[in-house]
Amino acid sequence: MGKSAAHIVWDWNGTLFHDIDAIIGATNAAFVELGLEPITLEQYRALYCVPVPKFYERLMGRLPTDVEWEVMDEVFHRYYAEHRVTCGLTEGAAELLADWRSAGRSQSLLSMYVHEELVPLVRGFGIEPHFIRVDGRTGPSGGSKAEHMVRHLQALSVVDPEHTVVIGDAADDAVAALHVGARAVLYTGGSHGRASLEKVGVPVVDTLEEAVEAAQHMAA
């Protein structure tokens, strides 16, 4: 496999891993701690952004204090960890990963979910062998994926950013892709609605199958 081969960098939460219900529940659990009203999936998809404190600012009318952020972040991750066990892979994801690998193309996984928890979760679904690298977040939560993407691709010496497509569910996935000279396809089944994603200026699709088809053409 040379550097000219097509490569996909997959996002995890909201893309390969269909966990939006757990995320909404965790978000609302965090809001309860500060006496905020719960939000709906539609509100979440319309307002979500990174860095995450800015998302809370859109809902609260101000940035959370450092103490508030620490409380909300701890509650969110504790609730999410308890409820992620009810979540599974997005429909068709396992087959798409297997098919891409069988075609002799490479793929990797970069998530903002903490690395030590991500790896066993991916392994538990039996899909780890499809990836040439799996990276989760190191360091504090709440930031952008862009710098993590730089380190991820630097570790993949056989991958050329010009032939790389990032598939994710958030505007930040596209920002991270453009930051390293890659392309992006955004999927509507996760954290953003179509209207929010279309503002980014990259292809937007409703299924992972469509995302892979687009990636194949874009990375050629």
Side-chain angles (χ1 to χ4, degrees), residues 16 18 43 46 92 100 116 119 146 184 189 195 198 213:
L16 289 175
H18 186 65
Q43 289 173 310
W100 187 265
E116 290 76 12
V119 172
E198 287 180 339
E213 290 175 357

Side-chain angles (χ1 to χ4, degrees), residues 12-15 17-24 80 84 87-88 90:
W12 180 246
N13 302 98
T15 304
F17 191 45
H18 186 65
D19 60 349
I20 191 65
D21 290 338
I23 288 175
I24 295 296
Y80 178 82
R84 75 180 188 197
C87 303
T90 300

Side-chain angles (χ1 to χ4, degrees), residues 11 13 36 59 82 151 172:
D11 173 57
N13 302 98
L36 300 173
L59 295 162
E82 294 171 358
R151 291 190 291 271
D172 191 50

Side-chain angles (χ1 to χ4, degrees), residues 155-186:
L156 297 173
S157 58
V158 298
V159 171
D160 184 346
E162 292 187 1
H163 296 280
T164 297
V165 177
V166 176
I167 297 178
D169 68 312
D172 191 50
D173 291 303
V175 171
L178 297 174
H179 185 69
V180 296
R183 298 176 176 84
V185 179
L186 297 179

Side-chain angles (χ1 to χ4, degrees), residues 33-94:
E33 292 295 313
L34 298 187
L36 300 173
E37 292 294 318
I39 63 170
T40 65
L41 172 61
E42 290 72 24
Q43 289 173 310
Y44 183 94
R45 283 177 164 164
L47 296 173
Y48 179 75
C49 64
V50 294
V52 176
K54 293 291 290 183
F55 167 55
Y56 289 146
E57 181 183 27
R58 291 181 174 185
L59 295 162
M60 300 169 65
R62 61 174 176 81
L63 281 169
T65 65
D66 290 344
V67 172
E68 287 172 334
W69 165 251
E70 289 177 7
V71 169
M72 297 172 80
D73 193 48
E74 189 278 328
V75 171
F76 177 94
H77 286 97
R78 173 160 42 85
Y79 182 101
Y80 178 82
E82 294 171 358
H83 290 79
R84 75 180 188 197
V85 295
T86 65
C87 303
L89 295 177
T90 300
E91 182 178 358

Side-chain angles (χ1 to χ4, degrees), residues 98-145:
D99 289 347
W100 187 265
R101 181 188 179 198
S102 296
R105 306 183 186 101
S106 64
Q107 56 199 331
S108 58
L109 176 59
L110 175 61
S111 173
M112 294 298 282
Y113 194 48
V114 63
H115 183 78
E116 290 76 12
E117 297 183 33
L118 171 70
V119 172
L121 186 57
V122 172
R123 191 170 293 154
F125 284 109
I127 58 174
E128 186 183 22
H130 297 317
F131 304 112
I132 61 174
R133 187 174 182 89
V134 174
D135 282 330
R137 172 179 53 81
T138 57
S141 63
S144 172
K145 186 180 267 188

